């Protein structure tokens, strides 16, 4: 393995566009052989199913937050990926939407991977349409912005120019140094975010923005009260009824995503919901040897799994197992 393999950390709050950007990175013709470490907060992996990677090039860390509960798993995954993927040119780490990237960054400041890896930069995606609401949902949104070497203000097509300028001004309050690029659907020239030597370890500050205190993200989920609930539905569902169920979810559900098996539809349906915005699209035919299961992950506060499962059973005519 070559020394000093460059690493980019992709972070950003729930639904900001991290996996969309990761897919763009993997699908573009740049000639780089890229390995991925993907962290998801829910028990069921959704993003991992959407990323097409050759076997051995993708490590998934589920059911935990990369900055605290699965941090040791990250170290093991990185070493395992390096051991079994000898021909990599680059490594991309996508954190969960509730992760504070400072603890992962600290691994590189402490030179834990000094012989193998070089942190190239922390890229934080910011959801322009949910910007102010995300600060109300969790203090982690501010920590992700303050940790960035490069900021991407995403979904600018959903906000007007005056709102965009207000957000850009506020971003400077949390991170006056990082360049900020405006994006739609996470479209950004990769030359602006990969192998740019944006991370400067000598300038790295472990203090949280605007606080002057050391970061202790291992407690941030308990403090914020953020949780995830996962379901699997064995019977095909009615898409219209499911969309109505999504629309009726409480505002305490910040993020919903999943892979759906739909009645009379031979293809998998992918859905995303951020706040009250829904996106559903056909992905591909179900493989003959894969079980046709609907997999659903909800992330938010004050979630009641039994009540959510009962609602899914009523509108979908299936038994939800959470």
């Amino acid at each position: 393995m070559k020394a000093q393999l460059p690493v980019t950390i992709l972070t950003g709050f729930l639904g900001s566009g991290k996996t969309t950007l990761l897919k763009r990175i993997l699908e573009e013709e740049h000639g780089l052989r890229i390995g991925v470490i993907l962290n998801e907060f829910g028990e069921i992996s959704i993003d991992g199913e959407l990323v097409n990677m050759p076997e051995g090039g993708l490590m998934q860390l589920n059911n935990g937050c990369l900055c605290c509960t699965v941090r040791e798993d990250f170290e093991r995954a990185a070493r395992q990926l390096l051991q079994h993927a000898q021909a990599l040119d680059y490594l991309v780490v996508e954190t969960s939407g509730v992760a504070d990237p400072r603890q992962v960054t600290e691994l590189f400041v402490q030179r834990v991977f000094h012989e193998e890896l070089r942190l190239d930069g922390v890229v934080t995606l910011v959801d322009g349409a949910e910007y102010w609401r995300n600060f109300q949902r969790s203090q982690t949104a501010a920590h992700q912005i303050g940790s960035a070497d490069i900021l991407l203000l995403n979904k600018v097509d959903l906000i007007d120019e005056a709102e965009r300028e207000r957000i850009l001004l506020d971003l400077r309050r949390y991170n006056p140094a990082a360049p900020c690029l405006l994006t739609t659907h996470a479209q950004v020239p990769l030359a602006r975010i990969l192998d740019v030597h944006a991370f400067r370890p000598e300038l790295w500050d472990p203090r949280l923005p605007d606080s002057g205190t050391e970061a202790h993200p291992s407690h941030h989920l308990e403090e914020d009260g953020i949780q995830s609930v996962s379901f699997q539905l064995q019977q095909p569902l009615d898409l219209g009824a499911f969309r109505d169920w999504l629309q009726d979810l409480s505002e305490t559900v910040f993020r919903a995503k999943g892979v759906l098996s739909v009645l009379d539809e031979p293809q998998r349906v992918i859905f995303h919901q951020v706040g009250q915005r829904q996106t559903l699209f056909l992905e591909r035919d179900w493989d003959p040897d894969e079980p046709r299961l609907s997999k659903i992950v909800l992330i938010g506060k004050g979630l009641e799994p039994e009540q959510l499962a009962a609602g899914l059973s009523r509108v979908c005519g299936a038994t939800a197992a959470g």
Side-chain angles (χ1 to χ4, degrees):
M1 173 57 62
K2 298 177 292 186
Q4 297 294 293
L5 188 72
V7 182
T8 292
I9 298 174
L10 298 182
T11 189
F13 203 66
L14 301 163
S16 58
K18 297 182 297 298
T19 302
T20 299
L21 177 56
L22 176 60
K23 290 185 66 177
R24 291 189 182 281
I25 291 173
L26 297 176
E27 293 170 0
E28 285 204 16
E29 296 183 1
H30 42 57
L32 295 175
R33 296 162 295 184
I34 298 177
V36 174
I37 296 178
L38 179 61
N39 175 219
E40 293 195 65
F41 185 51
E43 295 180 3
I44 298 175
S45 173
I46 302 300
D47 296 341
E49 292 202 27
L50 306 181
V51 176
N52 296 319
M53 289 284 296
E55 185 175 354
L58 171 66
M59 301 294 295
Q60 298 186 59
L61 307 178
N62 298 335
N63 198 28
C65 182
L66 187 57
C67 67
C68 41
T69 58
V70 295
R71 183 185 176 191
E72 292 183 359
D73 292 344
F74 167 73
E75 294 188 47
R76 286 193 292 269
R79 297 198 184 282
Q80 184 177 348
L81 192 61
L82 288 168
Q83 180 180 357
H84 295 287
Q86 298 297 319
L88 291 179
D89 298 313
Y90 212 97
L91 178 62
V92 176
V93 178
E94 181 190 331
T95 74
S96 77
V98 294
D100 186 330
R102 287 178 172 262
Q103 289 285 294
V104 183
T105 302
E106 189 177 17
L107 296 176
F108 296 91
V109 177
Q110 295 175 342
R111 310 295 287 172
V112 173
F113 296 103
H114 68 280
E115 293 184 356
E116 303 100 337
L117 303 176
R118 169 186 64 81
L119 181 57
D120 187 69
V122 177
V123 177
T124 298
L125 287 96
V126 179
D127 186 339
E130 296 288 320
Y131 183 78
W132 307 106
R133 284 182 288 271
N134 284 342
F135 282 109
Q136 298 172 357
R137 292 162 176 163
S138 172
Q139 61 181 349
T140 301
H143 301 166
Q144 293 168 342
I145 293 169
S147 302
D149 298 303
I150 300 171
L151 289 164
L152 301 184
L153 178 54
N154 196 29
K155 307 183 186 180
V156 294
D157 56 316
L158 301 178
I159 57 178
D160 59 29
E161 184 175 355
E163 176 71 353
R164 183 180 66 197
E165 293 304 316
R166 284 194 293 269
I167 293 174
L168 288 172
L169 184 63
D170 198 60
L171 286 172
R172 289 289 159 253
R173 180 165 67 92
Y174 291 100
N175 193 330
C180 184
L181 309 177
L182 306 182
T183 61
T184 299
H185 302 300
Q187 293 179 323
V188 59
L190 297 188
R192 302 288 299 274
I193 63 171
L194 297 184
D195 204 17
V196 291
H197 296 265
F199 179 67
R200 300 285 298 278
E202 68 275 11
L203 301 179
W204 185 76
D205 188 348
R207 294 175 299 176
L208 300 178
D210 288 345
S211 71
T213 59
E214 297 293 318
H216 296 285
S218 60
H219 304 294
H220 73 284
L221 294 179
E222 291 86 348
E223 294 171 355
D224 287 342
I226 294 178
Q227 62 187 117
S228 69
V229 179
S230 302
F231 302 98
Q232 291 193 74
L233 306 175
Q234 298 182 354
Q235 299 179 11
L237 56 84
D238 178 87
L239 188 58
F242 179 77
R243 294 191 68 164
D244 291 341
W245 176 81
L246 273 182
Q247 195 66 44
D248 291 338
L249 287 175
S250 167
E251 292 183 357
T252 60
V253 178
F254 310 148
R255 181 78 165 98
K257 58 185 176 179
V259 179
L260 305 178
S261 172
V262 175
L263 285 169
D264 301 321
E265 175 53 62
Q267 293 187 307
R268 303 190 338 161
V269 176
I270 308 301
F271 85 92
H272 297 278
Q273 180 161 311
V274 182
Q276 294 300 307
R277 297 193 318 277
Q278 294 180 6
T279 302
L280 295 96
F281 59 91
L282 296 173
E283 185 203 23
R284 60 169 173 80
D285 289 342
W286 288 91
D287 290 336
D289 56 348
E290 70 176 320
R292 287 195 55 157
L293 296 175
S294 293
K295 301 177 181 180
I296 300 166
V297 174
L298 308 177
I299 303 174
K301 295 183 180 181
L303 305 183
E304 299 182 4
E306 293 183 0
Q307 180 178 339
L308 291 166
L312 276 174
S313 296
R314 286 193 300 270
V315 301
C316 303
T319 300

